[in-house]
Amino acid sequence: MKQNSLTRRLSAQLREKLGYILLFEIADPRLDLVTLTGVEVAQDRSFARIFVSCDGDRYEEVLEALDAARGRIRSLLARALDWRVTPELEFRIDRSTDEAERIARALENVPETLSVPKDEEGYPLAADGDDAPVADEGDDAGDGPSGAASAAEEAPDA
């Protein structure tokens, strides 16, 4: 839904009233530990989309409880709000917290290759026991970037 300053203000007002109703007026144990994460209200106030969050294994149960209590919630909202029209309510599960948790778990499992020291190009540095060829420091042939740099440093200024 398109949101502007008016609809954001209405959404905040509706979210506050819904939170109070779910916390104190609705006595359904299936709605324990349910969090309102967002509310979107249409510009004409006839429709509201409510996003809720809960444990991942309780999604269906919470949606069933909210659908069963939809009429009661709407009638309590009609008394609590001073709007001319009481909006139709649509409840949706907000899965963004699940996605954030999945990302946090992925960041905890850091691959071992990230702890290996690397050069400025991102290639792993050769360890002491590796058979990788290592540039000889005494070689002044000038081949490679380090030889060219040292040759340039030794050249007299003209």
Side-chain angles (χ1 to χ4, degrees), residues 29-96:
R30 297 178 294 176
L31 295 178
D32 288 344
L33 300 174
V34 172
T35 305
L36 291 175
T37 58
V39 175
E40 294 178 352
V41 178
Q43 287 185 343
D44 63 353
R45 302 177 193 182
S46 64
F47 182 79
R49 186 173 294 139
I50 297 107
F51 295 94
V52 295
S53 177
C54 61
D55 292 336
D57 56 339
R58 296 184 39 211
Y59 286 156
E60 296 301 321
E61 177 185 358
V62 167
L63 278 180
E64 287 174 11
L66 288 170
D67 287 338
R70 181 189 320 255
R72 175 80 175 134
I73 293 171
R74 191 165 181 234
S75 68
L76 291 170
L77 274 176
R79 288 188 215 145
L81 295 172
D82 57 348
W83 298 357
R84 209 170 91 197
V85 176
T86 304
E88 287 289 326
L89 304 176
E90 177 190 358
F91 293 100
R92 289 191 181 177
I93 298 292
D94 185 5
R95 292 179 177 5
S96 63

Side-chain angles (χ1 to χ4, degrees), residues 83-131:
W83 298 357
R84 209 170 91 197
V85 176
T86 304
E88 287 289 326
L89 304 176
E90 177 190 358
F91 293 100
R92 289 191 181 177
I93 298 292
D94 185 5
R95 292 179 177 5
S96 63
T97 55
D98 295 338
E99 188 67 17
E101 185 178 322
R102 185 189 65 79
I103 290 171
R105 274 188 273 130
L107 289 175
E108 288 175 359
N109 299 329
V110 177
E112 299 160 0
T113 57
L114 288 179
S115 62
V116 174
K118 298 175 181 72
D119 62 5
E120 54 273 351
E121 285 95 28
Y123 293 107
L125 295 174
D128 293 337
D130 287 348
D131 292 338

